[in-house]
Amino acid sequence: EALAAVGELEQDAQRLVLSAGDTCPDNALLTAQGVRFLDLEGAGLHHVAYDAAYALEPFSTCWCVFTPPPGLTDEMLAAFTRAAAERVPGLAEDPGWPRQVRVAVALWVLSATLWLSEGADADRPSLGPPGVPSPSFRQLLLARWRWVARNLAEDLPDVAAACDEAVTVALRRWDVPAESLALGGYPAFG
């Protein structure tokens, strides 16, 4: 299911963009002349939904992830879509666009599972730099898996079910109460 989803996005050649690839806030600087990207390690040509995923489920590959206030991600995705529609004709009117973005989130989550699993199993306490608020590996994985299980049951039912099962298995394996691994809110909105 995930491979088919990757194929769907790759075949949509009308929506390929050259992008920084990792549009996390700590990789960009807002200047009077506009956004300047500081880190281009993942730069390349890919489907615009991968960038939009950073708005819907904030900062897909970042360590600086918390729970956004209600409605913020919808507003962020709407703003992203409006801006992207200026360069990608028909994007805003396409009823399939929201699904493409949700699918891109799921693919980021699956990728992050590979990157974060070892740290989660080792119970590493923080993803971010020392002294900077960030979630633990476990908190981030559980939050991401829950998001996919909750939001992709119709689009990618097998992936959603696998993420739901991953939550159950992880909590049993780590032998900790689920509430102890709740992802807190963004400090900026506190």
Side-chain angles (χ1 to χ4, degrees), residues 63-66 126-135 187:
W63 56 266
C64 52
V65 176
F66 297 94
S126 176
L127 279 158
V132 178
S134 75

Side-chain angles (χ1 to χ4, degrees), residues 2-112:
L3 289 174
V6 168
E8 280 179 47
L9 294 179
E10 286 179 356
Q11 289 173 11
D12 187 6
Q14 298 301 312
R15 296 197 177 149
L16 297 180
V17 296
L18 178 61
S19 167
D22 182 357
T23 56
C24 291
D26 62 332
N27 289 336
L29 183 64
L30 186 58
T31 71
Q33 293 77 34
V35 175
R36 298 293 181 249
F37 292 102
L38 307 174
D39 184 349
L40 302 175
E41 68 185 319
L45 193 63
H46 58 251
H47 196 282
V48 69
Y50 288 112
D51 290 340
Y54 276 71
L56 184 59
E57 176 60 358
F59 319 130
S60 300
T61 62
C62 291
W63 56 266
C64 52
V65 176
F66 297 94
T67 301
L72 179 65
T73 58
D74 292 333
E75 291 174 26
M76 288 170 44
L77 181 58
F80 180 97
T81 300
R82 282 191 304 275
E86 293 176 13
R87 302 281 190 262
V88 183
L91 185 71
E93 299 82 26
D94 180 3
W97 169 242
R99 179 188 181 279
Q100 287 182 323
V101 178
R102 289 189 304 272
V103 164
V105 170
L107 296 172
W108 279 127
V109 169
L110 293 175
S111 294

